[in-house]
Amino acid sequence: MHVRVFGGLADHLGGTHVEVALPDDGTVTVADLLSELSRHHPGVSTLLPAVSVAVDLEIAEGSRTIPAGAEVALLPPVAGGADAAEGGDGRVVVTGLAAPPLDIAGTLAKLATPTAGATALFLGTVRDHAPDLPDVVRLEYSAYEPMAERELERIARETITAHPAVTGVALLHALGDLPVGAHTVLVACTSPHRGEAFAACREALEELKSRVPVFKREVTADGTDRWVGLSEGPAG
């Protein structure tokens, strides 16, 4: 079985693809896959409880059987541009992955409508430290891109459904090397009044941070680096 690997797991497993000695015939479960990985790669066994398995771009539970020929990926904990699309109800959605810098003004212009009296905007920004890691000089973001793009679109549509007053949603995440001060993520929601915009923006951000498979490596001034979410700490 051929498995794609992302983020810090690729460092531990020696590449972005790994072959697992299990039949690709539709009889293997996600739990079987994780067990086999743990047996043949004991160095990652302590990390696997925090790892998600995606099967054909969907997060899969341990009991799920993996269909023959499915695209399988191992996703470490997530870190947390595209053209605007208009739904049948006239509300605007802007989602995607983008090379820095994020186009803030252009994105807000796409969301602007005569009925939007409020815009709530969140911008994530690279800071010069982590809680236990001083002297951060940059972050390196990578993603399982097809799945990340689909999840961003889903979250935007879910936000509109949950907040009928919202007139537009933008969800953009930067990829690549981002120095201190660069913007990492943009979440914006428009509505006639501020309450709906604030609530929708916060909920969309929390969903993005927990669901979208984007992975973050922190790099310090002395060259120390680590993948955020993996428990082994700075690389040695």
Side-chain angles (χ1 to χ4, degrees):
M1 181 176 292
H2 299 278
V3 180
R4 300 186 67 182
V5 185
F6 290 89
L9 286 176
D11 291 350
H12 287 279
L13 293 172
T16 58
H17 292 77
V18 63
E19 290 190 359
V20 182
L22 291 171
D24 186 13
D25 61 1
T27 65
V28 174
T29 67
V30 168
D32 295 335
L33 170 63
L34 293 175
S35 177
E36 186 69 8
L37 279 168
S38 181
R39 188 164 72 89
H40 282 279
H41 300 276
V44 301
S45 60
T46 59
L47 304 178
L48 291 179
V51 169
S52 299
V53 177
V55 177
D56 288 334
L57 307 184
E58 300 281 356
I59 297 298
E61 299 296 330
S63 60
R64 178 172 173 181
T65 301
I66 301 172
E71 180 171 320
V72 182
L74 296 177
L75 309 179
V78 300
D83 292 333
E86 186 173 303
D89 56 4
R91 293 189 282 181
V92 178
V93 169
V94 183
T95 64
L97 305 171
L102 296 177
D103 183 5
I104 300 168
T107 301
L108 295 182
K110 292 174 182 177
L111 296 184
T113 66
T115 60
T119 301
L121 171 66
F122 173 86
L123 287 173
T125 306
V126 180
R127 62 179 184 261
D128 64 0
H129 67 283
D132 60 344
L133 191 67
D135 299 323
V136 172
V137 295
R138 73 175 186 275
L139 300 180
E140 298 174 359
Y141 282 96
S142 57
Y144 186 11
E145 295 188 22
M147 185 175 176
E149 290 172 347
R150 188 160 78 171
E151 281 301 298
L152 288 169
E153 173 75 15
R154 281 181 173 174
I155 292 167
R157 297 295 176 185
E158 290 168 6
T159 301
I160 283 178
T161 299
H163 298 274
V166 166
T167 59
V169 177
L171 300 173
L172 301 180
H173 206 299
L175 295 183
D177 293 356
L178 281 74
V180 171
H183 295 306
T184 60
V185 62
L186 179 156
V187 178
C189 293
T190 56
S191 65
H193 304 287
R194 64 182 181 274
E196 297 96 330
F198 276 126
C201 184
R202 184 182 185 101
E203 290 177 21
L205 172 65
E206 297 304 327
E207 290 298 312
L208 181 156
K209 297 294 286 184
S210 65
R211 289 168 48 184
V212 178
V214 173
F215 315 107
K216 179 170 69 176
R217 191 205 303 257
E218 296 169 328
V219 182
T220 65
D222 66 1
T224 299
D225 70 272
R226 68 176 181 186
W227 287 95
V228 173
L230 294 181
S231 60
E232 82 285 358

